[in-house]
């Protein structure tokens, strides 16, 4: 009987200790799905947005316009009951205009893609955010990355592989018109950084449809490398056929690699809208959808 009592008391003690460990330990989050869409107005408790491996309470709150047709003026994102981000727009928008997607890398680090769309793809915010210091901080701003070289900029995530995030940057380029460029970011030093200085064109919309082949509308100098102060390699002459290969972003400056007349080099993209057709770099450039 003493032996049975001993076994029972030992089991009871282990059970109580187990309860203590259970309630004393923070609730660990299961691995986030690679992609989760967060809807305004809902409360989520099963995902980790802070990156500490614990479940967080995530809520997107909107502020409706009084006596309106359902439009909202701003919204805020709360993490664990505290405001982590607020958007105040000078224009009203609707809940369906808001896209919030939580992406998680293989190492468990989460990043939030946030986009509010207006007409022409413009909007008050389009970027990727990371939770740090109790705030959601923008680490990639799709509206500023290429702002010197075009307008109607926006971007979105196209995929996650390991600790890399694949994104598509879209803009109406002063040089090439409507186009999409794929860039890759990797996790390094606690955040996302470019995995390469190069971007690949996935679409270039011309007057003749999608094409990488354009006709020079004027003479354009072509340089040996994609760096400032590079030496001149050759000149594209008006009427020459040109193939667009890829682009490079180096210290905030953009370069476009082209091939023409059996040679390859880099050109400087236009940084302002051509007021007349004669100032376009290429004749087939299409600036409107």
């Amino acid at each position: 009987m003493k032996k049975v009592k001993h076994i029972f008391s030992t089991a009871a003690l282990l059970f109580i200790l187990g309860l203590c460990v259970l309630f004393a330990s923070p609730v660990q989050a299961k691995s986030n799905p690679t992609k989760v869409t967060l809807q305004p107005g809902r409360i989520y408790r099963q995902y980790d947005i802070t990156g500490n491996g614990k479940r967080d309470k995530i809520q997107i709150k909107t502020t409706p316009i009084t006596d309106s047709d359902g439009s909202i003026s701003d919204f805020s994102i709360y993490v664990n009951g505290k405001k982590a981000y607020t958007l105040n727009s000078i224009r009203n928008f609707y809940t369906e205009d808001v896209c919030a997607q939580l992406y998680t890398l293989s190492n468990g680090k989460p990043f939030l893609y946030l986009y509010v769309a207006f007409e022409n793809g413009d909007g008050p915010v389009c970027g990727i955010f990371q939770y740090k210091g109790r705030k959601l901080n923008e680490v990639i701003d799709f509206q500023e990355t290429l702002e010197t070289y075009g307008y109607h900029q926006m971007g979105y995530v196209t995929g996650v592989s390991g600790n890399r995030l694949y994104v598509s940057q879209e803009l109406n380029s002063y040089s090439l018109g409507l186009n999409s460029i794929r860039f890759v970011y990797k996790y390094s030093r606690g955040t996302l950084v470019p995995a390469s200085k190069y971007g690949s064109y996935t679409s270039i919309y011309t007057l003749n449809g999608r094409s990488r082949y354009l006709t020079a509308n004027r003479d354009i100098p072509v340089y040996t490398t994609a760096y400032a102060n590079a030496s001149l390699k050759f000149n594209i002459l008006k009427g020459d056929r040109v193939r667009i290969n890829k682009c490079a972003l180096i210290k905030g400056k953009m370069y476009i690699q082209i091939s023409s007349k059996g040679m390859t080099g880099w050109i400087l993209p236009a940084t302002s809208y051509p007021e007349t057709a004669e100032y376009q770099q290429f004749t087939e450039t299409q600036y409107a959808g």
Side-chain angles (χ1 to χ4, degrees):
M1 181 62 74
K2 289 183 177 180
K3 185 176 181 180
V4 173
K5 288 182 178 179
H6 177 70
I7 294 174
F8 177 78
S9 59
T10 302
L13 179 60
L14 291 174
F15 176 74
I16 293 171
L17 288 174
L19 289 177
C20 292
V21 171
L22 175 65
F23 289 105
S25 300
V27 178
Q28 298 298 308
K30 293 181 179 179
S31 297
N32 285 351
T34 302
K35 174 185 175 182
V36 176
T37 298
L38 305 177
Q39 300 291 346
R42 289 187 56 185
I43 298 176
Y44 299 87
R45 302 178 186 273
Q46 65 270 49
Y47 306 122
D48 171 24
I49 194 173
T50 59
N52 62 0
K54 304 174 186 177
R55 295 178 185 175
D56 297 307
K57 178 183 175 183
I58 309 167
Q59 183 178 19
I60 300 177
K61 295 183 179 181
T62 60
T63 303
I65 305 300
T66 305
D67 298 326
S68 73
D69 55 359
S71 62
I72 56 180
S73 62
D74 58 73
F75 70 90
S76 299
I77 302 176
Y78 287 79
V79 177
N80 299 323
K82 297 181 179 180
K83 189 182 293 186
Y85 177 82
T86 297
L87 171 65
N88 295 307
S89 175
I90 60 174
R91 295 171 59 184
N92 300 341
F93 52 96
Y94 297 86
T95 301
E96 55 265 29
D97 296 330
V98 178
C99 178
Q101 297 170 333
L102 185 65
Y103 289 90
T104 303
L105 308 180
S106 293
N107 59 10
K109 300 303 180 183
F111 292 88
L112 181 69
Y113 168 76
L114 189 59
Y115 179 39
V116 176
F118 291 156
E119 64 271 16
N120 297 316
D122 296 330
V125 61
C126 183
I128 296 176
F129 293 75
Q130 181 181 21
Y131 187 90
K132 279 188 176 182
R134 298 184 179 182
K135 296 291 182 182
L136 283 165
N137 302 284
E138 195 168 36
V139 294
I140 302 174
D141 188 340
F142 290 119
Q143 295 179 319
E144 290 187 357
T145 305
L146 300 173
E147 66 177 345
T148 304
Y149 305 100
Y151 55 100
H152 293 332
Q153 293 191 79
M154 62 85 65
Y156 53 90
V157 178
T158 59
V160 177
S161 178
N163 292 326
R164 294 187 172 217
L165 201 68
Y166 295 80
V167 306
S168 180
Q169 175 87 49
E170 298 186 352
L171 78 157
N172 218 331
S173 163
Y174 300 131
S175 290
L176 305 178
L178 298 166
N179 69 86
S180 301
I181 312 170
R182 189 184 79 158
F183 292 103
V184 183
Y185 290 84
K186 65 180 181 180
Y187 188 82
S188 178
R189 300 186 297 275
T191 190
L192 291 173
V193 299
S196 168
K197 62 187 177 184
Y198 300 111
S200 57
Y201 286 96
T202 55
S203 295
I204 300 175
Y205 297 89
T206 71
L207 294 175
N208 301 323
R210 295 188 184 187
S211 178
R212 288 179 175 269
Y213 292 90
L214 302 172
T215 305
N217 191 55
R218 55 187 175 85
D219 295 354
I220 306 172
V222 183
Y223 299 93
T224 54
T225 59
Y227 290 97
N229 302 319
S231 58
L232 181 68
K233 188 172 184 178
F234 66 101
N235 283 294
I236 297 171
L237 303 180
K238 183 176 180 178
D240 285 347
R241 290 290 285 169
V242 175
R243 185 184 191 278
I244 307 298
N245 297 328
K246 60 184 179 181
C247 69
L249 275 179
I250 302 172
K251 296 182 178 179
K253 293 190 176 182
M254 186 180 186
Y255 305 84
I256 299 175
Q257 188 191 65
I258 60 92
S259 295
S260 182
K261 299 183 285 191
M263 295 182 287
T264 299
W266 298 84
I267 67 171
L268 300 177
T271 56
S272 61
Y273 186 86
E275 296 300 329
T276 60
E278 64 181 305
Y279 291 106
Q280 293 180 199
Q281 286 183 309
F282 302 100
T283 58
E284 299 89 350
T285 300
Q286 179 173 271
Y287 293 106

